PDB file of all heavy atoms in Angstrom:
ATOM      1  N   THR A 362      41.750 119.012  69.149  1.00 97.00           N
ATOM      2  CA  THR A 362      40.944 118.341  68.098  1.00 97.00           C
ATOM      3  C   THR A 362      41.040 116.763  68.359  1.00 97.00           C
ATOM      4  O   THR A 362      40.897 116.027  67.297  1.00 97.00           O
ATOM      5  CB  THR A 362      41.327 118.678  66.734  1.00 97.00           C
ATOM      6  OG1 THR A 362      42.686 118.268  66.657  1.00 97.00           O
ATOM      7  CG2 THR A 362      41.181 120.159  66.522  1.00 97.00           C
ATOM      8  N   GLY A 363      40.922 116.444  69.601  1.00 96.00           N
ATOM      9  CA  GLY A 363      41.218 114.961  69.978  1.00 96.00           C
ATOM     10  C   GLY A 363      40.047 114.098  69.972  1.00 96.00           C
ATOM     11  O   GLY A 363      39.008 114.605  69.350  1.00 96.00           O
ATOM     12  N   ILE A 364      40.154 113.152  70.806  1.00 96.00           N
ATOM     13  CA  ILE A 364      39.037 112.020  70.739  1.00 96.00           C
ATOM     14  C   ILE A 364      37.767 112.590  71.396  1.00 96.00           C
ATOM     15  O   ILE A 364      36.691 111.925  71.151  1.00 96.00           O
ATOM     16  CB  ILE A 364      39.537 110.801  71.459  1.00 96.00           C
ATOM     17  CG1 ILE A 364      39.879 110.946  72.858  1.00 96.00           C
ATOM     18  CG2 ILE A 364      40.641 110.107  70.744  1.00 96.00           C
ATOM     19  CD1 ILE A 364      40.190 109.826  73.691  1.00 96.00           C
ATOM     20  N   GLY A 365      37.717 113.571  72.162  1.00 96.00           N
ATOM     21  CA  GLY A 365      36.589 114.049  72.833  1.00 96.00           C
ATOM     22  C   GLY A 365      35.968 113.131  73.965  1.00 96.00           C
ATOM     23  O   GLY A 365      36.510 112.054  74.116  1.00 96.00           O
ATOM     24  N   ILE A 366      35.049 113.627  74.590  1.00 96.00           N
ATOM     25  CA  ILE A 366      34.442 112.928  75.810  1.00 96.00           C
ATOM     26  C   ILE A 366      32.870 112.965  75.674  1.00 96.00           C
ATOM     27  O   ILE A 366      32.331 113.950  75.486  1.00 96.00           O
ATOM     28  CB  ILE A 366      34.753 113.520  77.067  1.00 96.00           C
ATOM     29  CG1 ILE A 366      36.356 113.716  77.171  1.00 96.00           C
ATOM     30  CG2 ILE A 366      34.407 112.782  78.317  1.00 96.00           C
ATOM     31  CD1 ILE A 366      36.850 114.915  78.054  1.00 96.00           C
ATOM     32  N   ALA A 367      32.284 111.718  75.836  1.00 96.00           N
ATOM     33  CA  ALA A 367      30.793 111.728  75.781  1.00 96.00           C
ATOM     34  C   ALA A 367      30.186 112.509  76.945  1.00 96.00           C
ATOM     35  O   ALA A 367      30.918 112.374  78.063  1.00 96.00           O
ATOM     36  CB  ALA A 367      30.357 110.214  75.784  1.00 96.00           C
ATOM     37  N   ALA A 368      29.060 113.092  76.821  1.00 96.00           N
ATOM     38  CA  ALA A 368      28.539 114.032  77.767  1.00 96.00           C
ATOM     39  C   ALA A 368      28.342 113.385  79.249  1.00 96.00           C
ATOM     40  O   ALA A 368      28.565 113.912  80.224  1.00 96.00           O
ATOM     41  CB  ALA A 368      27.201 114.635  77.374  1.00 96.00           C
ATOM     42  N   GLN A 369      27.941 112.000  79.186  1.00 96.00           N
ATOM     43  CA  GLN A 369      27.713 111.428  80.619  1.00 96.00           C
ATOM     44  C   GLN A 369      28.978 111.374  81.396  1.00 96.00           C
ATOM     45  O   GLN A 369      28.856 111.120  82.558  1.00 96.00           O
ATOM     46  CB  GLN A 369      27.078 110.102  80.388  1.00 96.00           C
ATOM     47  CG  GLN A 369      27.964 109.107  79.905  1.00 96.00           C
ATOM     48  CD  GLN A 369      27.846 108.729  78.379  1.00 96.00           C
ATOM     49  OE1 GLN A 369      27.520 109.721  77.702  1.00 96.00           O
ATOM     50  NE2 GLN A 369      28.162 107.619  77.881  1.00 96.00           N
ATOM     51  N   HIS A 370      30.218 111.372  80.750  1.00 96.00           N
ATOM     52  CA  HIS A 370      31.558 111.239  81.549  1.00 96.00           C
ATOM     53  C   HIS A 370      31.860 112.604  82.103  1.00 96.00           C
ATOM     54  O   HIS A 370      32.501 112.629  83.144  1.00 96.00           O
ATOM     55  CB  HIS A 370      32.521 110.675  80.777  1.00 96.00           C
ATOM     56  CG  HIS A 370      32.340 109.282  80.298  1.00 96.00           C
ATOM     57  ND1 HIS A 370      32.139 108.166  81.063  1.00 96.00           N
ATOM     58  CD2 HIS A 370      31.990 108.883  78.986  1.00 96.00           C
ATOM     59  CE1 HIS A 370      31.944 107.243  80.298  1.00 96.00           C
ATOM     60  NE2 HIS A 370      31.815 107.485  78.995  1.00 96.00           N
ATOM     61  N   VAL A 371      31.500 113.642  81.460  1.00 96.00           N
ATOM     62  CA  VAL A 371      31.931 114.993  81.938  1.00 96.00           C
ATOM     63  C   VAL A 371      31.848 115.231  83.338  1.00 96.00           C
ATOM     64  O   VAL A 371      32.796 115.693  84.014  1.00 96.00           O
ATOM     65  CB  VAL A 371      31.392 116.087  80.961  1.00 96.00           C
ATOM     66  CG1 VAL A 371      31.842 117.401  81.456  1.00 96.00           C
ATOM     67  CG2 VAL A 371      31.943 115.842  79.500  1.00 96.00           C
ATOM     68  N   PRO A 372      30.678 115.174  83.961  1.00 95.00           N
ATOM     69  CA  PRO A 372      30.532 115.675  85.386  1.00 95.00           C
ATOM     70  C   PRO A 372      31.517 114.804  86.366  1.00 95.00           C
ATOM     71  O   PRO A 372      31.840 115.191  87.417  1.00 95.00           O
ATOM     72  CB  PRO A 372      29.034 115.334  85.711  1.00 95.00           C
ATOM     73  CG  PRO A 372      28.387 115.158  84.439  1.00 95.00           C
ATOM     74  CD  PRO A 372      29.441 114.613  83.473  1.00 95.00           C
ATOM     75  N   ARG A 373      31.843 113.511  85.926  1.00 95.00           N
ATOM     76  CA  ARG A 373      32.769 112.757  86.834  1.00 95.00           C
ATOM     77  C   ARG A 373      34.225 112.803  86.629  1.00 95.00           C
ATOM     78  O   ARG A 373      35.043 112.124  87.254  1.00 95.00           O
ATOM     79  CB  ARG A 373      32.247 111.284  86.703  1.00 95.00           C
ATOM     80  CG  ARG A 373      30.888 111.203  87.021  1.00 95.00           C
ATOM     81  CD  ARG A 373      30.508 109.710  87.302  1.00 95.00           C
ATOM     82  NE  ARG A 373      31.317 109.227  88.352  1.00 95.00           N
ATOM     83  CZ  ARG A 373      31.254 107.774  88.674  1.00 95.00           C
ATOM     84  NH1 ARG A 373      30.558 106.954  87.981  1.00 95.00           N
ATOM     85  NH2 ARG A 373      32.090 107.457  89.708  1.00 95.00           N
ATOM     86  N   LEU A 374      34.712 113.688  85.560  1.00 96.00           N
ATOM     87  CA  LEU A 374      36.084 113.590  85.171  1.00 96.00           C
ATOM     88  C   LEU A 374      36.978 113.954  86.316  1.00 96.00           C
ATOM     89  O   LEU A 374      38.204 113.502  86.276  1.00 96.00           O
ATOM     90  CB  LEU A 374      36.472 114.498  83.990  1.00 96.00           C
ATOM     91  CG  LEU A 374      35.714 113.987  82.619  1.00 96.00           C
ATOM     92  CD1 LEU A 374      36.070 114.948  81.501  1.00 96.00           C
ATOM     93  CD2 LEU A 374      36.182 112.521  82.293  1.00 96.00           C
ATOM     94  N   THR A 375      36.599 114.844  87.095  1.00 95.00           N
ATOM     95  CA  THR A 375      37.584 115.389  88.219  1.00 95.00           C
ATOM     96  C   THR A 375      37.564 114.386  89.450  1.00 95.00           C
ATOM     97  O   THR A 375      38.166 114.700  90.394  1.00 95.00           O
ATOM     98  CB  THR A 375      37.171 116.802  88.606  1.00 95.00           C
ATOM     99  OG1 THR A 375      35.833 116.818  88.946  1.00 95.00           O
ATOM    100  CG2 THR A 375      37.507 117.785  87.428  1.00 95.00           C
ATOM    101  N   GLU A 376      36.786 113.307  89.390  1.00 93.00           N
ATOM    102  CA  GLU A 376      36.777 112.243  90.506  1.00 93.00           C
ATOM    103  C   GLU A 376      38.153 111.579  90.404  1.00 93.00           C
ATOM    104  O   GLU A 376      38.689 111.274  89.299  1.00 93.00           O
ATOM    105  CB  GLU A 376      35.712 111.258  90.374  1.00 93.00           C
ATOM    106  CG  GLU A 376      34.367 111.821  90.714  1.00 93.00           C
ATOM    107  CD  GLU A 376      33.335 110.792  90.555  1.00 93.00           C
ATOM    108  OE1 GLU A 376      33.604 109.599  90.457  1.00 93.00           O
ATOM    109  OE2 GLU A 376      32.162 111.184  90.311  1.00 93.00           O
ATOM    110  N   ARG A 377      38.661 111.137  91.580  1.00 91.00           N
ATOM    111  CA  ARG A 377      40.092 110.474  91.537  1.00 91.00           C
ATOM    112  C   ARG A 377      39.865 109.094  90.839  1.00 91.00           C
ATOM    113  O   ARG A 377      38.857 108.409  91.097  1.00 91.00           O
ATOM    114  CB  ARG A 377      40.545 110.285  92.952  1.00 91.00           C
ATOM    115  CG  ARG A 377      40.896 111.583  93.586  1.00 91.00           C
ATOM    116  CD  ARG A 377      41.378 111.323  95.080  1.00 91.00           C
ATOM    117  NE  ARG A 377      40.243 110.956  95.982  1.00 91.00           N
ATOM    118  CZ  ARG A 377      40.391 110.996  97.211  1.00 91.00           C
ATOM    119  NH1 ARG A 377      41.539 111.384  97.890  1.00 91.00           N
ATOM    120  NH2 ARG A 377      39.485 110.550  98.057  1.00 91.00           N
ATOM    121  N   PHE A 378      40.778 108.825  89.919  1.00 91.00           N
ATOM    122  CA  PHE A 378      40.807 107.553  89.183  1.00 91.00           C
ATOM    123  C   PHE A 378      39.675 107.289  88.186  1.00 91.00           C
ATOM    124  O   PHE A 378      39.390 106.268  87.794  1.00 91.00           O
ATOM    125  CB  PHE A 378      40.861 106.369  90.228  1.00 91.00           C
ATOM    126  CG  PHE A 378      42.130 106.293  91.054  1.00 91.00           C
ATOM    127  CD1 PHE A 378      42.026 106.452  92.394  1.00 91.00           C
ATOM    128  CD2 PHE A 378      43.195 106.113  90.423  1.00 91.00           C
ATOM    129  CE1 PHE A 378      43.129 106.385  93.227  1.00 91.00           C
ATOM    130  CE2 PHE A 378      44.488 106.017  91.230  1.00 91.00           C
ATOM    131  CZ  PHE A 378      44.438 106.363  92.525  1.00 91.00           C
ATOM    132  N   TYR A 379      38.823 108.478  87.942  1.00 92.00           N
ATOM    133  CA  TYR A 379      37.860 108.176  86.935  1.00 92.00           C
ATOM    134  C   TYR A 379      38.493 108.468  85.550  1.00 92.00           C
ATOM    135  O   TYR A 379      39.015 109.378  85.219  1.00 92.00           O
ATOM    136  CB  TYR A 379      36.743 109.322  87.119  1.00 92.00           C
ATOM    137  CG  TYR A 379      35.524 109.000  86.273  1.00 92.00           C
ATOM    138  CD1 TYR A 379      34.592 108.063  86.676  1.00 92.00           C
ATOM    139  CD2 TYR A 379      35.376 109.548  84.953  1.00 92.00           C
ATOM    140  CE1 TYR A 379      33.453 107.690  85.774  1.00 92.00           C
ATOM    141  CE2 TYR A 379      34.402 109.175  84.114  1.00 92.00           C
ATOM    142  CZ  TYR A 379      33.432 108.344  84.653  1.00 92.00           C
ATOM    143  OH  TYR A 379      32.254 107.941  83.756  1.00 92.00           O
ATOM    144  N   ARG A 380      38.303 107.443  84.769  1.00 90.00           N
ATOM    145  CA  ARG A 380      38.672 107.491  83.393  1.00 90.00           C
ATOM    146  C   ARG A 380      37.593 107.054  82.411  1.00 90.00           C
ATOM    147  O   ARG A 380      36.839 106.165  82.741  1.00 90.00           O
ATOM    148  CB  ARG A 380      39.937 106.579  83.103  1.00 90.00           C
ATOM    149  CG  ARG A 380      41.151 106.988  83.843  1.00 90.00           C
ATOM    150  CD  ARG A 380      41.785 105.836  84.358  1.00 90.00           C
ATOM    151  NE  ARG A 380      43.150 105.892  84.685  1.00 90.00           N
ATOM    152  CZ  ARG A 380      43.815 105.163  85.564  1.00 90.00           C
ATOM    153  NH1 ARG A 380      43.071 104.276  86.320  1.00 90.00           N
ATOM    154  NH2 ARG A 380      45.037 105.381  85.762  1.00 90.00           N
ATOM    155  N   VAL A 381      37.549 107.645  81.221  1.00 91.00           N
ATOM    156  CA  VAL A 381      36.674 107.261  80.322  1.00 91.00           C
ATOM    157  C   VAL A 381      37.143 105.978  79.557  1.00 91.00           C
ATOM    158  O   VAL A 381      36.269 105.025  79.583  1.00 91.00           O
ATOM    159  CB  VAL A 381      36.484 108.407  79.202  1.00 91.00           C
ATOM    160  CG1 VAL A 381      35.547 108.007  77.998  1.00 91.00           C
ATOM    161  CG2 VAL A 381      36.084 109.653  79.727  1.00 91.00           C
ATOM    162  N   ASP A 382      38.416 105.905  79.187  1.00 87.00           N
ATOM    163  CA  ASP A 382      38.806 104.732  78.683  1.00 87.00           C
ATOM    164  C   ASP A 382      40.153 104.368  79.365  1.00 87.00           C
ATOM    165  O   ASP A 382      41.164 104.878  79.166  1.00 87.00           O
ATOM    166  CB  ASP A 382      39.056 104.901  77.175  1.00 87.00           C
ATOM    167  CG  ASP A 382      39.701 103.762  76.509  1.00 87.00           C
ATOM    168  OD1 ASP A 382      39.984 102.794  77.055  1.00 87.00           O
ATOM    169  OD2 ASP A 382      39.715 103.776  75.180  1.00 87.00           O
ATOM    170  N   ARG A 383      39.997 103.233  80.245  1.00 82.00           N
ATOM    171  CA  ARG A 383      41.086 102.944  81.211  1.00 82.00           C
ATOM    172  C   ARG A 383      42.351 102.494  80.374  1.00 82.00           C
ATOM    173  O   ARG A 383      43.354 102.962  80.713  1.00 82.00           O
ATOM    174  CB  ARG A 383      40.485 101.693  82.039  1.00 82.00           C
ATOM    175  CG  ARG A 383      41.294 101.537  83.309  1.00 82.00           C
ATOM    176  CD  ARG A 383      40.440 100.682  84.204  1.00 82.00           C
ATOM    177  NE  ARG A 383      39.579 101.466  85.037  1.00 82.00           N
ATOM    178  CZ  ARG A 383      39.937 102.000  86.110  1.00 82.00           C
ATOM    179  NH1 ARG A 383      41.139 101.773  86.568  1.00 82.00           N
ATOM    180  NH2 ARG A 383      39.142 102.802  86.918  1.00 82.00           N
ATOM    181  N   SER A 384      42.101 101.742  79.361  1.00 82.00           N
ATOM    182  CA  SER A 384      43.316 101.185  78.625  1.00 82.00           C
ATOM    183  C   SER A 384      44.065 102.424  77.865  1.00 82.00           C
ATOM    184  O   SER A 384      45.237 102.408  77.856  1.00 82.00           O
ATOM    185  CB  SER A 384      43.077 100.159  77.567  1.00 82.00           C
ATOM    186  OG  SER A 384      42.163 100.512  76.841  1.00 82.00           O
ATOM    187  N   ARG A 385      43.288 103.348  77.399  1.00 80.00           N
ATOM    188  CA  ARG A 385      43.921 104.499  76.585  1.00 80.00           C
ATOM    189  C   ARG A 385      44.657 105.350  77.679  1.00 80.00           C
ATOM    190  O   ARG A 385      45.706 105.763  77.291  1.00 80.00           O
ATOM    191  CB  ARG A 385      42.801 105.216  75.930  1.00 80.00           C
ATOM    192  CG  ARG A 385      43.286 106.466  75.363  1.00 80.00           C
ATOM    193  CD  ARG A 385      43.050 106.811  73.999  1.00 80.00           C
ATOM    194  NE  ARG A 385      43.921 107.764  73.513  1.00 80.00           N
ATOM    195  CZ  ARG A 385      43.890 108.003  72.213  1.00 80.00           C
ATOM    196  NH1 ARG A 385      43.129 107.560  71.379  1.00 80.00           N
ATOM    197  NH2 ARG A 385      44.612 108.991  71.686  1.00 80.00           N
TER     198      ARG A 385
END
Side-chain angles (χ1 to χ4, degrees):
T362 56
I364 59 173
I366 306 154
Q369 75 267 23
H370 297 292
V371 171
R373 300 197 57 191
L374 289 183
T375 55
E376 286 175 23
R377 295 181 289 195
F378 297 115
Y379 189 84
R380 291 141 158 151
V381 176
D382 179 348
R383 203 161 271 274
S384 59
R385 169 123 200 179

